[in-house]
Amino acid sequence: MIDLKPVRGTRDFYPAELRLRHWLFDIWRGTARQFGFEEYDACVLESEALYVRKAGDEITGQLYNFDDKGGRRLALRPEMTPTLARLILQRQRALQFPLKWFSIPQCFRYERMTRGRKREHYQWNLDVIGQPGNVAEVETISALIASLEAMGLTAEHVRLHLNDRRLLTAVLERAGVPEEHHLPVMVVMDKRDKIGGEQLEALLGEQGLSGTQVRRIDEFLAMSSLEEVKTALGGDTPAVAELEALQELLGRVGFGDWVGFDITVVRGLSYYTGTVFELRDRSASLRAICGGGRYDSLLSAFGGDPIPAIGFGFGDVVILELLGDLGLLPQLGTDLDYVVIPFSEAQVPAALELSQKLRRKGLRVDADFALRKLKRALQRASEIGARRAVLLMPDELERGEVVVRDMAKREERRVAMEAFLEE
Ligand code: HAM
């Protein structure tokens, strides 16, 4: 007997779950288009080399990788950003920047499974390539928040935690950490929430940091306002001014309530160079819902010209959990206009013919040929969310009539078949 369960960490999508997934994707796609982003896609298989990074990113250790039959080292993509960089670099001379692109790729990571983390997920990626400075930040973050509003969420439910890698760099400089250690140290700092103080200290020790340096960093990470950090860093730290300007612009477009400074947001991917952000639920009971930031050096790291870029990845797993917890998941039916129900075998040909005539009119029609008891057939029609049922009863059909039932109003009327088709 073969194991019928999906591979550990992966999901099956039965129709009800797929309806929900499509509902979410429609919001993502609709929002992206509303903001003028264009959709792209690529194959889930990539060269492993695309994900190998020096700083020790966790994602590299989570790769689904293998040799293909031709001896190539391949991987299932764990994220879309390197693929996006590859696409841009291939056409660097031909493309018109800035570009606003989005995608909804399925991604694979061999993760330790916890609530909200699986080994396969879909991730809405929205990126602006070739636009330096805060404008692109405001546009991507605005699109993100607009999608949350479309899901029925408010600033009471979630918060966008905002920080800047340049600010963290200033903190590390202040703590006396040599520059070549900054990236690996940030990758370790990102684990702070997951592993706790002692283990963090040990890991930072492995990066060559002294106890005093770790304490210094910890002091900064305990600061809750940008004001406080500004004072502690003293003088004019450019990253502070950038963050202030960004927050002001986000306020100006009406999203100020959703956003707040959070110095503990580091992000685990080493390619970020400036703004970084994570979306979290207010009760902080779930993992990050969405994460992103500016990565101005990734394209040059791949051998191209330097091109500024910013974007985010927004997974389908945590958001559906949160919406479920809050009772905000929609009740989705099949969206059928009609279910045609023949009373018995004798009315089946007429049901086939009528269904086809209705479909030609552009209506969504299911014909129910299970020949169940009428009551059961109507119950099913209502369960699958059909708006109306058309009953083909022996006597009525003989007279050239059908019975049309409005499922919501529970009202029935007899109509001549011809008149019904004219309606
Ligand atoms: P990331 O933080 O690794 O960033 O992932 C972004 C989002 O994908 C997470 O916030 C979460 O919603 C979802 N996600 C990640 N891993 C899993 C998992 N194992 N199970 C379920 N959901 C998951 C990136 O991937 C960046 N490439 C995002 C980006 C785009 N930055 C710039 N542009």
Side-chain angles (χ1 to χ4, degrees), residues 37-319:
F37 285 73
E38 290 183 286
E39 189 163 5
Y40 68 98
D41 200 6
C43 182
V44 64
L45 277 179
E46 282 284 10
S47 294
E48 182 184 27
L50 217 50
Y51 308 106
V52 177
R53 289 173 208 136
K54 286 195 291 278
D57 296 28
E58 193 172 31
I59 217 168
T60 307
Q62 296 172 332
L63 279 185
Y64 274 92
N65 47 7
F66 57 95
D67 291 321
D68 76 356
K69 289 186 170 50
R72 297 174 195 88
R73 281 305 285 167
L74 300 182
L76 299 180
R77 67 177 164 230
E79 55 158 338
M80 199 60 165
T81 312
T83 300
L84 174 62
R86 189 174 64 67
L87 263 59
I88 301 290
L89 288 180
Q90 279 189 99
R91 306 234 173 126
Q92 191 164 344
R93 303 271 168 267
L95 290 168
Q96 291 280 327
F97 296 101
L99 293 170
K100 294 162 72 180
W101 282 8
F102 80 96
S103 191
I104 309 180
Q106 190 176 25
C107 300
F108 293 82
R109 299 183 189 182
Y110 197 85
E111 284 229 37
R112 205 167 54 82
M113 290 211 297
T114 51
R115 186 167 186 222
R117 286 294 177 268
K118 303 204 174 290
R119 293 189 174 160
E120 149 277 316
H121 70 282
Y122 288 88
Q123 199 192 75
W124 181 33
N125 277 249
L126 187 102
D127 294 86
V128 178
I129 303 104
Q131 175 84 59
N134 275 336
V135 186
E137 264 83 343
V138 175
E139 283 286 86
T140 43
I141 291 172
S142 298
L144 166 61
I145 298 174
S147 80
L148 301 170
E149 286 178 333
M151 293 169 203
L153 289 165
T154 67
E156 311 269 287
H157 299 121
V158 291
R159 180 168 185 258
L160 190 85
H161 296 240
L162 197 61
N163 197 8
D164 195 309
R165 277 274 172 104
R166 290 165 297 181
L167 190 75
L168 291 164
T169 301
V171 167
L172 293 181
E173 273 167 5
R174 189 52 63 91
V177 179
E179 202 192 325
E180 66 268 27
H181 292 297
H182 284 189
L183 276 185
V185 164
M186 285 193 207
V187 169
V188 171
M189 280 162 69
D190 179 64
K191 300 198 177 88
R192 191 167 174 266
D193 274 359
K194 284 182 249 172
I195 60 177
E198 251 171 58
Q199 219 187 328
L200 181 79
E201 209 162 309
L203 282 177
L204 288 174
E206 279 171 29
Q207 294 294 333
L209 267 61
S210 69
T212 322
Q213 286 173 325
V214 175
R215 271 190 299 282
R216 201 73 215 279
I217 294 170
D218 258 338
E219 274 165 28
F220 272 101
L221 294 184
M223 295 177 184
S224 57
S225 73
L226 186 54
E227 245 350 272
E228 216 178 325
V229 179
K230 187 176 176 176
T231 314
L233 285 172
D236 44 343
T237 313
V240 172
E242 290 279 335
L243 267 171
E244 284 172 340
L246 176 56
Q247 279 185 288
E248 194 182 311
L249 281 173
L250 285 167
R252 179 146 183 187
V253 295
F255 294 131
D257 291 352
W258 296 73
V259 184
F261 169 70
D262 182 349
I263 195 173
T264 68
V265 172
V266 186
R267 308 278 296 132
L269 297 156
S270 57
Y271 50 65
Y272 292 113
T273 52
T275 312
V276 278
F277 55 87
E278 264 173 15
L279 185 79
R280 294 183 171 271
D281 65 299
R282 289 269 180 183
S283 65
S285 60
L286 299 168
R287 298 284 302 270
I289 303 166
C290 166
R294 183 165 275 287
Y295 49 102
D296 287 349
S297 319
L298 183 62
L299 288 110
S300 52
F302 280 0
D305 296 342
I307 305 176
I310 176 168
F312 61 77
F314 183 164
D316 64 334
V317 181
V318 185
I319 190 66

Side-chain angles (χ1 to χ4, degrees), residues 379-400:
Q379 201 181 331
R380 171 185 169 271
S382 128
E383 276 162 17
I384 62 176
R387 276 182 274 281
R388 280 171 291 259
V390 188
L391 312 178
L392 300 186
M393 312 300 285
D395 293 347
E396 280 83 353
L397 201 58
E398 197 94 327
R399 294 197 298 271

